[in-house]
């Protein structure tokens, strides 16, 4: 089975810019960012409630927990937000109706309820199709997240924990290597 494409920086930038021009664009942009900048799976994104990510002052938390029932491994795990994702969540929350309830999904379907993981997979597909990116899927963001951390010199153990993997071998399968990286590697000899 072919793995989901890991977007280049230019492709991710294009996708994020395109999102805001689409129907439900701000929602779609946040969905893509949760995938790429937090490494979350579609089922995890679909299950996310505002109460999970906001603190008592209604500001995004720096770290929150995914409940065990919402993760693939059925074990609770931490999600850490970088500054970009923190800002995106705050901006999105601020533009919502102030009567918004904390038990509502962060990413709502067009009908106002939660996405199913399958319907979110389809939403990701529409975004990537609109951007003209072949072979990208809802898993592209997770692979991008893990690949970027690995190529930035982050400890494999840290990446494994951020991804919620139990085995380092699982994490390693997510890491994409480009021809340019291979060429650069042999040049150090």
């Amino acid at each position: 089975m072919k793995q989901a494409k890991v977007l280049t920086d230019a492709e991710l930038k294009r996708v994020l810019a395109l999102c805001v021009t689409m129907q439900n664009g701000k929602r779609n942009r946040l969905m893509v960012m949760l995938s790429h900048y937090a490494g979350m799976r579609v089922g995890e994104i679909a299950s996310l409630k505002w109460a999970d990510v906001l603190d008592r002052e209604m500001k995004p938390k720096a770290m929150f927990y995914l409940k065990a029932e919402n993760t693939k491994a059925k074990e609770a795990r931490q999600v850490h937000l970088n500054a970009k994702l923190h800002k995106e969540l705050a901006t999105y929350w601020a533009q919502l109706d102030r009567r918004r309830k904390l038990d509502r999904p962060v990413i709502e379907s067009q009908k106002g309820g939660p996405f199913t993981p399958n319907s979110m997979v389809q939403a990701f597909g529409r975004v990537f199709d609109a951007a003209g990116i072949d072979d990208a899927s809802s898993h592209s963001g997770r692979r991008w997240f893990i690949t970027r951390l690995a190529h930035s010199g982050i400890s494999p153990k840290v990446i494994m924990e951020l991804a919620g993997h139990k085995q380092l071998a699982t994490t390693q399968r997510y890491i994409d290597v480009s021809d340019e990286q291979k060429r650069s590697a042999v040049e150090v000899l």
Side-chain angles (χ1 to χ4, degrees):
M1 185 175 189
K2 189 173 183 178
Q3 286 191 311
K5 174 185 177 63
V6 174
L7 276 59
T8 65
D9 290 347
E11 288 170 329
L12 179 56
K13 187 175 181 179
R14 185 168 82 231
V15 166
L16 293 174
L18 175 75
C19 279
V20 295
T21 69
M22 302 173 77
Q23 182 179 7
N24 301 306
K26 291 177 183 176
R27 176 204 71 193
N28 292 346
R29 180 181 162 92
L30 179 57
M31 179 181 73
V32 168
M33 289 188 71
L34 286 165
S35 173
H36 281 77
Y37 290 101
M40 294 175 68
R41 296 176 179 94
V42 288
E44 295 167 346
I45 298 169
S47 70
L48 210 54
K49 305 272 191 271
W50 283 109
D52 298 327
V53 300
L54 298 177
D55 63 19
R56 289 183 181 157
E57 283 92 41
M58 301 301 169
K59 303 224 182 297
K61 299 173 184 174
M63 185 276 298
F64 63 88
Y65 286 91
L66 291 173
K67 297 177 183 98
E69 63 266 21
N70 297 329
T71 68
K72 184 177 178 182
K74 299 299 180 205
E75 290 184 12
R77 71 177 177 92
Q78 294 177 339
V79 174
H80 293 263
L81 301 180
N82 70 10
K84 287 180 189 178
L85 190 49
H86 194 275
K87 181 180 176 185
E88 192 75 19
L89 272 165
T91 300
Y92 189 73
W93 171 254
Q95 60 92 36
L96 294 174
D97 182 342
R98 279 290 157 215
R99 292 170 288 163
R100 173 70 116 197
K101 301 235 186 311
L102 292 177
D103 64 345
R104 302 291 303 158
V106 172
I107 305 294
E108 286 191 353
S109 71
Q110 208 163 329
K111 295 178 182 176
F115 269 88
T116 65
N118 186 51
S119 61
M120 188 169 282
V121 166
Q122 294 171 17
F124 270 100
R126 286 189 297 276
V127 169
F128 292 131
D129 285 347
I133 300 174
D134 295 330
D135 300 324
S137 76
S138 59
H139 223 58
S140 291
R142 191 163 165 76
R143 289 199 67 223
W144 183 91
F145 174 80
I146 292 169
T147 296
R148 288 295 295 257
L149 291 173
H151 293 305
S152 296
I154 304 300
S155 160
K157 176 74 171 158
V158 171
I159 299 170
M160 185 180 87
E161 289 197 16
L162 287 170
H165 291 150
K166 292 181 183 179
Q167 302 292 325
L168 185 55
T170 304
T171 306
Q172 290 173 321
R173 286 195 301 267
Y174 279 73
I175 300 170
D176 191 53
V177 178
S178 69
D179 288 339
E180 178 57 36
Q181 289 168 317
K182 291 182 232 179
R183 280 191 292 276
S184 295
V186 298
E187 288 302 321
V188 301
L189 302 175

